[in-house]
Every structure is written in C-alpha cells, then in structure tokens.
Amino acid sequence: VLLSLLGLAVGGKLLVVPVDGRHWLSMRQVLDSLRQRGHDVVVVAPEVSLYIKPSKNYVMKMYPVPFTQKEMDEDFQGFTKDLFEGGPFLVRVIRLYQRSKKTSALFLATCTHLLHNKELINYLEDSKFDAILTDPILPCGQILAEHLSVPSVYFLQQIPCALEYQATQCPKPPSYVPRDFTGHTDHMTFLQRVMNVLYDIPNFFLCDAVFQPYARLASEFLHRDVTVPDLLRQASIWLMKIDFVLHYPKPLMPNMILVSGVNCASKQLSQ
C-alpha cells in the first residue's frame, strides 16, 4: 500500500506565463526553487523582453511579437519616469493614463500573438500541465488557464485599480485602507476619508483603458463573453508579495497568502 503511494510525490508540470520587468525577477527565484524540488517548469515568453531569458532550470518556449527591443526599452523607461515624476494629483492621473494606454498596447500585442500562435497553443494543449503560475497584472495567463482547463496560481504584489479585491470579493474599506497618490496613513480624519473615496474615481477610467481590450480578446479566444474580473476570480491561490511592515494592514481572503521577502532573494542589487 505504501509503495502504491510513491507516485504522489512525483513533481508536477507547471506552465508559467510571466510579466516582464520587475515582476519576472522575483518570480524567477520561485521557479529556481520549484525546479530544485523536482517540478518540470515551462516558461512561455515573447522573443523580445527585458529580463526574461533562458535558463537551465526551465524550458522556454518563445514566440514572435510585432515590436523591437528598442521600442520596448523606450516604453519601459518612459513609464518609470512618468510613475515617479511629481506634480498635482490630476496631472499625475492624466500622465499615468496616457502612459498606461501606450504600455497596454504593447502588452496586448504580446498577448494577442501568444494566443494566435496555433503551433504554440497546440503544444501547450498536448503537454497536459498540472497548473499555471502567472502574474495577473495582465490576464493573458488566466486566459490560457481557462482554455487549457487547469488551475491557476497568481504571484503578484497588486493589480491596477485594485482588481484583486473586486475579483476575490475582498473588502477594501476606504475608511482605513489608503488609496494610491493620497499620501494618507491608515489613521485618517473624516475629511481624509472622504478624499480617499474621491481618489478612487479615476480608477474606473484607468481600468477601462487597460483591461477592456483583454476582455474582448478573451471573449474572442474562449468563444464566450467574459470580463477581466470574471477571469481573475477563477484563481485557486493568490500569492501576495506584501506584508504588514511595508504595507498597511488590510483585509485578506483565505486563498490570499502573504509571501513577502521573495524580492530580497537577489544578491546583485545595486546601491
């Protein structure tokens, strides 16, 4: 009887659909650990990327995209500049909205070329993966999870417009959870709480610009009408790269697991 259970200890087959940039750097540390534990890891990535490179710890499947390395580098540098540049709240929102549209178009083209690559999709269908690990800041990985009918595990810090709370029906009361750009703490006066609510309004416009094209792409690919929150709420586990040392306490759902500290695994950080 004991010998018949040995098969349960065999490593699984994991499909990884990452998001480029800093999102990938911490995920790569997790993949190295999974490989050491005997799991087979397959990473699907575009031919043009910032940091996603081949490794002996995973199999990489690459696909072509309609932009160059120079175009991607310029877009990411511009996004970083816009994100940290100061100014009045309304100016920052408009600037971030415009930049988000440009960056989203680039990522949407990446996702579209992945889903329309029939040869690669056929390979993924035949591989019989046990699960998908992805960063839901872009829902391309979850679209694949729905198509392949496999459970998904999310690895993230946060999603624009706090969609992780909407998708999981997790409370995020503006009475004590500070909103982006407010500069508030978790101890607010009544007027600050009112302002905290008002600062949430621009998120509706940002979300529409960033995620609505993915809803159309998913509906076309899956042959049924879906929204991005519909996709995200299918996740089995949310691995959250937050803690309550650098982040304010907030409600969490049972399948949200804090894994903060993984970002510190790299030993080659600059000063």
Side-chain angles (χ1 to χ4, degrees), residues 92-110:
R92 284 184 291 169
V93 169
I94 294 174
R95 187 172 61 235
L96 184 60
Y97 174 78
Q98 294 172 339
R99 176 59 63 178
S100 297
K101 289 181 65 177
K102 295 179 181 179
T103 306
S104 297
L106 185 146
F107 278 121
L108 180 63
T110 301

Side-chain angles (χ1 to χ4, degrees), residues 16-21 43-50 52 61-69 71-73 75-76 101-118 120-121 124 134-135 137-141 143-144 210 213-214 217-218 221:
V16 180
V17 184
V19 173
D20 206 355
V43 177
V44 174
E47 292 179 349
V48 177
S49 64
L50 293 176
I52 306 175
K61 294 294 181 180
M62 308 186 78
Y63 56 94
V65 287
F67 51 83
T68 65
Q69 187 70 52
E71 291 173 327
M72 168 167 269
D73 293 342
D75 185 83
F76 269 78
K101 289 181 65 177
K102 295 179 181 179
T103 306
S104 297
L106 185 146
F107 278 121
L108 180 63
T110 301
C111 185
T112 302
H113 278 69
L114 167 57
L115 299 179
H116 290 172
N117 191 317
K118 294 183 179 180
L120 180 55
I121 295 298
L124 298 179
T134 187
D135 189 323
I137 191 172
L138 297 176
C140 199
I143 297 174
L144 270 181
V210 174
Y214 286 96
L217 177 62
F221 184 72

Side-chain angles (χ1 to χ4, degrees), residues 124-153:
L124 298 179
E125 291 171 346
D126 296 337
S127 297
K128 305 300 181 183
F129 291 99
D130 296 304
I132 284 184
L133 175 65
T134 187
D135 189 323
I137 191 172
L138 297 176
C140 199
Q142 184 56 43
I143 297 174
L144 270 181
E146 290 290 298
H147 177 70
L148 300 176
S149 299
V150 295
S152 52
V153 177

Side-chain angles (χ1 to χ4, degrees), residues 6-17:
L6 289 179
L8 298 178
V10 176
K13 196 168 186 178
L14 182 69
L15 174 61
V16 180
V17 184

Side-chain angles (χ1 to χ4, degrees), residues 39-225:
H39 300 285
D40 293 327
V41 179
V42 177
V43 177
V44 174
E47 292 179 349
V48 177
S49 64
L50 293 176
Y51 302 115
I52 306 175
K53 307 299 179 185
S55 169
K56 63 180 180 180
N57 290 328
Y58 49 79
V59 176
M60 176 165 284
K61 294 294 181 180
M62 308 186 78
Y63 56 94
V65 287
F67 51 83
T68 65
Q69 187 70 52
K70 181 180 179 181
E71 291 173 327
M72 168 167 269
D73 293 342
E74 290 176 350
D75 185 83
F76 269 78
Q77 291 169 4
F79 187 85
T80 302
K81 180 181 177 181
D82 290 344
L83 188 63
F84 290 100
E85 189 173 345
F89 171 74
L90 186 58
V91 173
R92 284 184 291 169
V93 169
I94 294 174
R95 187 172 61 235
L96 184 60
Y97 174 78
Q98 294 172 339
R99 176 59 63 178
S100 297
K101 289 181 65 177
K102 295 179 181 179
T103 306
S104 297
L106 185 146
F107 278 121
L108 180 63
T110 301
C111 185
T112 302
H113 278 69
L114 167 57
L115 299 179
H116 290 172
N117 191 317
K118 294 183 179 180
E119 181 180 352
L120 180 55
I121 295 298
N122 290 336
Y123 164 80
L124 298 179
E125 291 171 346
D126 296 337
S127 297
K128 305 300 181 183
F129 291 99
D130 296 304
I132 284 184
L133 175 65
T134 187
D135 189 323
I137 191 172
L138 297 176
C140 199
Q142 184 56 43
I143 297 174
L144 270 181
E146 290 290 298
H147 177 70
L148 300 176
S149 299
V150 295
S152 52
V153 177
Y154 291 166
F155 186 75
L156 75 155
Q157 186 171 29
Q158 62 182 12
I159 306 178
C161 312
L163 282 187
E164 67 269 33
Y165 294 92
Q166 180 182 346
T168 58
Q169 296 183 326
C170 182
K172 194 185 182 187
S175 56
Y176 71 93
V177 179
R179 296 318 194 238
D180 294 336
F181 302 134
T182 61
H184 295 160
T185 70
D186 54 342
H187 296 281
M188 291 177 278
T189 65
F190 175 76
L191 290 179
Q192 287 176 328
R193 294 176 184 179
V194 172
M195 186 181 298
N196 209 36
V197 175
L198 296 178
Y199 270 47
D200 244 356
I201 296 176
N203 282 338
F204 294 104
F205 303 101
L206 289 174
C207 279
D208 184 68
V210 174
F211 291 113
Q212 188 58 35
Y214 286 96
R216 291 194 294 266
L217 177 62
S219 299
E220 175 190 340
F221 184 72
L222 298 174
H223 304 293
R224 56 186 172 88
D225 291 335

